[in-house]
């Protein structure tokens, strides 16, 4: 992982007309409204690149249907000639209308407006029948009969689909989007009341009942687990009666809201101080038994930072990784042979530093070395030559031997490079130096 910044994009002329991609985050936007009846499916090629190259993937996008089309009658105008003695109940004509929407949104219901005293129409099949005896001498023609399809329909939302993004920490009162539903019935349309049915965690959003304006109602923090995955609101539009009370005609839809991250968090270590004692004989590459974890709660490029040690002799240790995105376990390893007699303890500052000012994580690292018996005594010279007269007197001192000790019993006094002791044959070492060999 080289921590190169990633750049996202979309390929193709058609896809680029309808879709846009935020280069830094990969969030996909709609450039213009979609119409399922015009194009119900897109194959879009998205790309992601860094300094090493480009990777592309094709994504199939299905356009969901909403009830946004009115029915259309075919073969108009309708004109029928029938005898005046046509029996009551006789089918005389079939009208036909279609709606390009799918499912319930594409169903068609027929009716006469105003209702006829002589004819009836089957609401589902469009069959017109005689329901009363006809008299040519009384009425020679019945016209016009206005035939309506989908009379008294439920309201529909327009400008679908509803999806948008909002930056975390946007001020309360920020308008997220205005949603709109309309009354499909002919004549004087009724007003619509808007409510949120579900998905409004902690009532973080407010929806104006009359205007349909969705606004932010509190502090939105993407790092809050309740908000990090965004929101799927279910909103309802209700036709209002003339006295502004809700009617039975309603429609619901979903509203997808993605919370966009801003760089508002500094890296944090899982402790403010780490302490450990290791032997001075620890091999180069030995990993110190410390659990050091650092986390930046932001995401993407906002969570990238560098980690480094600061302090005297910090070159005696190495840390990894030094470049982090999001979260990492930091390992400290021995970089050079250690020596208790040279440095017996280390005190370091450990930093996790972002490019943003003041976004710095900090912790102390204390390392103590354990002394080992790793130094042998050394004589002042490898060979001693002594000449004695044959009549030397017993007890005469003939040689002083100097021994440099590696301090097996402890650290040497500060400011001294070595200790010099003298030894007498058969006598325990003592200080200060004195004659050590005698003739007997």
């Amino acid at each position: 992982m080289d921590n190169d910044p990633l750049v996202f994009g979309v390929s193709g002329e058609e896809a680029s007309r309808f879709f846009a991609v935020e280069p830094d985050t990969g969030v996909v936007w709609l450039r213009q409204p979609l119409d399922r009846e015009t194009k119900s499916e897109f194959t879009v090629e998205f790309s992601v690149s860094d300094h090493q190259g480009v990777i592309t993937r094709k994504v199939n996008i299905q356009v969901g249907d909403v009830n946004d089309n009115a029915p259309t009658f075919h073969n108009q105008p309708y004109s029928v000639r029938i005898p005046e003695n046509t029996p009551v109940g006789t089918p005389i004509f079939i009208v036909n209308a279609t709606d390009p929407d799918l499912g319930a949104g594409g169903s068609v219901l027929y009716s006469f407006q105003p209702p006829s005293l002589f004819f009836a129409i089957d609401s589902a099949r469009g069959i017109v029948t005689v329901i009363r005896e006809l008299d040519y001498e009384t009425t020679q023609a019945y016209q016009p009969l206005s035939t309506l399809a989908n009379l008294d329909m439920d309201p529909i939302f327009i400008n679908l689909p509803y999806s948008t993004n909002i930056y975390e920490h946007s001020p309360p009162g920020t308008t997220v989007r205005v949603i709109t539903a309309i009354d499909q019935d002919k004549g004087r349309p009724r007003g619509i009341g808007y409510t949120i049915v579900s998905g409004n965690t902690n009532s973080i959003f407010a929806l104006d009942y009359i205007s349909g304006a969705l606004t932010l109602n509190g502090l939105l923090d993407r790092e809050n687990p309740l908000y990090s995955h965004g929101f799927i609101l279910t909103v309802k539009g209700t036709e209002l009666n003339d006295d502004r009370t809700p009617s039975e005609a309603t429609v619901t839809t979903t509203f997808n809201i993605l919370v966009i991250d801003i760089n508002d968090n500094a890296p944090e270590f899982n402790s403010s101080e780490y302490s450990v004692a290791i032997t001075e004989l620890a091999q180069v590459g030995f990993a110190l038994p410390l659990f050091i974890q650092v986390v930046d709660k932001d995401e993407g490029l906002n969570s990238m930072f560098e980690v480094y040690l600061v302090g005297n002799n910090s070159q005696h240790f190495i840390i990894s990784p030094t470049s982090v995105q999001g979260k990492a376990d930091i390992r400290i390893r021995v970089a050079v042979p250690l020596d208790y007699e040279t440095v017996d303890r280390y005190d370091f500052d450990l930093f996790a530093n972002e490019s943003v000012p003041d976004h710095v994580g900090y912790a102390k690292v204390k390392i103590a070395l354990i002394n080992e018996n790793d130094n042998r005594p050394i004589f002042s010279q490898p060979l001693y030559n002594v000449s004695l007269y044959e009549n030397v007197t017993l007890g005469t001192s003939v040689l002083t031997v100097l021994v440099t000790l590696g301090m097996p019993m402890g650290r040497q006094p500060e400011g001294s490079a070595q200790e010099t002791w003298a030894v007498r044959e058969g006598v325990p070492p003592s200080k200060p130096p004195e004659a050590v060999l005698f003739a007997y």
Side-chain angles (χ1 to χ4, degrees), residues 161-402:
Y162 290 130
S163 63
T164 192
N165 303 327
I166 183 171
Y167 283 96
E168 63 172 326
H169 297 298
S170 295
T174 299
T175 299
V176 181
R177 185 167 177 177
V178 176
I179 63 175
T180 305
I182 60 173
D183 179 2
Q184 296 188 88
D185 297 325
K186 304 297 182 182
R188 184 168 64 89
R190 296 192 288 186
I192 306 294
Y194 303 94
T195 53
I196 300 176
V197 177
S198 64
N200 192 14
T201 305
N202 289 343
S203 299
I204 195 68
F205 298 103
L207 181 59
D208 188 275
Y209 186 71
I210 299 300
S211 70
L214 185 73
T215 57
L216 190 61
N217 195 41
L219 180 62
L220 190 58
D221 183 5
R222 191 202 64 85
E223 286 71 47
N224 185 330
L226 295 175
Y227 308 147
S228 59
H229 298 292
F231 302 84
I232 301 178
L233 303 181
T234 299
V235 294
K236 181 171 69 173
T238 303
E239 286 187 14
L240 303 178
N241 297 315
D242 291 339
D243 61 357
R244 312 300 285 179
T245 59
S247 71
E248 297 298 323
T250 64
V251 63
T252 60
T253 190
T254 56
F255 194 157
N256 296 297
I257 302 173
L258 180 64
V259 182
I260 302 300
D261 180 60
I262 64 173
N263 194 351
D264 60 337
N265 290 277
E268 294 182 358
F269 289 98
N270 60 332
S271 178
S272 60
E273 183 175 305
Y274 305 94
S275 300
V276 69
I278 63 172
T279 174
E280 65 172 324
L281 301 180
Q283 298 295 310
V284 172
F286 171 76
L288 276 60
L290 293 172
F291 176 54
I292 303 176
Q293 191 174 81
V294 60
V295 177
D296 189 322
K297 296 178 181 179
D298 296 317
E299 66 177 359
L301 298 179
N302 291 336
S303 66
M304 297 183 65
F305 55 92
E306 302 294 322
V307 182
Y308 51 91
L309 275 178
V310 175
N312 292 334
N313 301 307
S314 61
Q315 72 276 11
H316 290 186
F317 299 88
I318 57 174
I319 63 173
S320 63
T322 56
S323 295
V324 178
Q325 180 173 338
K327 176 181 179 180
D329 292 334
I330 304 300
R331 305 293 286 177
I332 300 180
R333 299 179 183 273
V334 176
V336 299
L338 305 177
D339 183 15
Y340 176 90
E341 285 71 38
T342 303
V343 180
D344 65 348
R345 67 180 297 108
Y346 299 86
D347 289 288
F348 297 134
D349 296 318
L350 182 62
F351 291 98
N353 191 16
E354 276 193 69
S355 58
V356 176
D358 300 328
H359 278 203
V360 180
Y362 172 77
K364 293 288 292 183
V365 177
K366 297 182 178 182
I367 305 170
L369 295 189
I370 300 172
N371 185 36
E372 303 287 354
N373 189 2
D374 58 342
N375 295 283
R376 295 181 299 174
I378 301 174
F379 284 95
S380 60
Q381 60 186 64
L383 178 66
Y384 296 93
N385 292 314
V386 179
S387 296
L388 296 176
Y389 290 103
E390 62 178 331
N391 61 346
V392 64
T393 304
L394 294 177
T396 300
S397 175
V398 295
L399 179 65
T400 298
V401 178
L402 300 180

Side-chain angles (χ1 to χ4, degrees), residues 56-173:
T56 61
R57 289 291 184 272
K58 291 184 178 180
V59 178
N60 183 263
I61 300 176
Q62 303 284 338
V63 181
D65 183 60
V66 296
N67 189 4
D68 59 346
N69 291 277
T72 302
F73 284 102
H74 303 288
N75 303 319
Q76 294 190 84
Y78 299 123
S79 178
V80 183
R81 296 177 64 87
I82 59 174
E84 65 174 329
N85 60 348
T86 301
V88 173
T90 301
I92 61 172
F93 192 71
I94 298 177
V95 297
N96 182 35
T98 57
D99 187 324
D101 294 316
L102 297 177
S107 63
V108 177
L109 299 176
Y110 302 95
S111 64
F112 286 136
Q113 289 294 320
S116 172
L117 297 176
F118 295 91
F119 303 96
I121 186 169
D122 186 291
S123 63
R125 296 178 294 174
I127 300 174
V128 179
T129 58
V130 177
I131 60 172
R132 187 173 178 179
E133 290 183 355
L134 306 177
D135 184 0
Y136 178 83
E137 285 69 33
T138 302
T139 304
Q140 288 79 40
Y142 297 89
Q143 65 174 353
L145 292 176
S146 298
T147 309
L148 298 183
N150 281 17
L151 178 67
D152 195 22
M153 295 184 293
D154 288 338
I156 61 170
F157 282 105
I158 61 175
N159 301 324
L160 293 172
Y162 290 130
S163 63
T164 192
N165 303 327
I166 183 171
Y167 283 96
E168 63 172 326
H169 297 298
S170 295

